[in-house]
Amino acid sequence: MKQPSVLVVEDEPAIAELIAVNLRHNGFRPTLAMDGDSAQREIDAMLPDLVLLDWMLPGASGLTLARRWRSDPRTKAVPIIMLTARGDEADRVAGLDAGADDYMAKPFSTKEMLARIRAVLRRRAPEQSTVTLEIGQLKLDTATHRVSYADQSLKLGPTEFKLLQYLMSHAERVHSRGQLLDKVWGDHVFIEERTVDVHIKRLREALGDAAAMVETVRGAGYRLSAQAMSTASPTRG
Ligand code: CA
């Protein structure tokens, strides 16, 4: 079994380092982030198997981050354990309401931390399993965040990845720009529909030889189709 990756979001270096050392000794792969912005960058780059999230952080609080990740379709299944110096019930409830899977009051023992991590991973295991989407020769791995076409690996930005993941999970169906905004960007954002066109263009550029799989359906929206490849000319340009 692969070593589970854990994103540790903690602004106190001594605590972060102690957690990381203990995780490493127990078969986990920790990544450290000291504040909300770097935590978001890490999450955008690769989905961890679990997040240990400190409540009190400079900038965005752990609570804000937990809410944001829970409302994003890409990150909503990643288990979160909140860490905090506060231990009273109101805070515990607020943390769980924000979507945290569990809650640990500092100071906690390594034993307790590992037990809670394992329990959360066990509970989440069915949804957390690796999903590889495959349409024709186009492959997308949700766990490693890798995309390849005809075994050539492709480089996609975070939005293009989410867009492709959605289109591949609902292939051969036509999606309007409004539907894509809703499903890929989330319904809390106010973005113009032409933003979708911009990202579709970027997605096609990133897909290279597989670009034709993303079809424009006049007056309706976009569709990802394996059939499109058989009618497209094999050479481009
Ligand atoms: Ca802190």
Side-chain angles (χ1 to χ4, degrees):
M1 198 191 126
K2 79 175 176 96
Q3 294 188 316
S5 55
V6 179
L7 175 61
V8 181
V9 188
E10 166 61 76
D11 60 314
E12 284 154 83
I15 297 178
E17 200 41 56
L18 186 67
I19 292 174
V21 165
N22 281 304
L23 287 175
R24 243 176 253 126
H25 282 171
N26 287 281
F28 296 91
R29 282 177 299 127
T31 305
L32 301 184
M34 306 289 278
D35 55 51
D37 287 346
S38 44
Q40 187 62 51
R41 274 198 300 279
E42 293 295 341
I43 286 262
D44 287 341
M46 205 187 98
L47 280 183
D49 292 307
L50 182 131
V51 182
L52 288 179
L53 180 58
D54 188 28
W55 182 302
M56 298 294 279
L57 292 168
S61 76
L63 209 58
T64 308
L65 292 171
R67 284 203 192 99
R68 185 195 299 163
W69 294 337
R70 275 298 172 263
S71 63
D72 182 335
R74 199 186 136 245
T75 48
K76 74 175 177 200
V78 177
I80 298 172
I81 299 179
M82 301 266 322
L83 309 178
T84 180
R86 312 157 167 222
D88 67 59
E89 199 186 3
D91 290 333
R92 218 168 68 86
V93 170
L96 297 174
D97 275 350
D101 293 82
D102 202 355
Y103 189 96
M104 270 194 293
K106 292 181 200 169
F108 47 82
S109 69
T110 304
K111 244 177 146 171
E112 181 188 353
M113 176 182 82
L114 293 169
R116 285 182 189 271
I117 289 176
R118 288 186 181 121
V120 166
L121 286 177
R122 264 199 308 274
R123 284 207 299 274
R124 285 281 184 158
E127 315 170 35
Q128 200 57 35
S129 57
T130 305
V131 178
T132 304
L133 299 169
E134 205 169 336
I135 308 228
Q137 295 195 79
L138 186 61
K139 280 185 204 161
L140 179 147
D141 188 311
T142 58
T144 60
H145 241 235
R146 291 211 171 87
V147 179
S148 67
Y149 179 69
D151 294 325
Q152 298 279 306
S153 108
L154 304 173
K155 262 186 122 67
L156 269 67
T159 305
E160 286 70 53
F161 183 90
K162 283 196 278 187
L163 190 54
L164 183 63
Q165 183 175 347
Y166 183 76
L167 290 171
M168 287 180 78
S169 327
H170 306 84
E172 309 299 337
R173 297 219 302 254
V174 182
H175 307 278
S176 71
R177 288 167 179 81
Q179 282 166 341
L180 290 173
L181 272 183
D182 218 40
K183 301 295 184 190
V184 178
W185 279 261
D187 46 13
H188 303 295
V189 288
F190 299 93
I191 303 177
E192 292 178 70
E193 293 199 346
R194 67 163 178 262
T195 304
V196 176
D197 303 338
V198 172
H199 287 280
I200 287 279
K201 184 166 177 277
R202 283 189 200 154
L203 174 60
R204 284 186 177 134
E205 282 163 7
L207 288 178
D209 290 341
M213 289 178 79
V214 180
E215 292 181 302
T216 305
V217 181
R218 265 209 141 147
Y222 295 103
R223 161 172 66 200
L224 187 115
S225 173
Q227 270 109 62
M229 289 309 285
S230 50
T231 51
S233 93
T235 51
R236 282 168 14 103

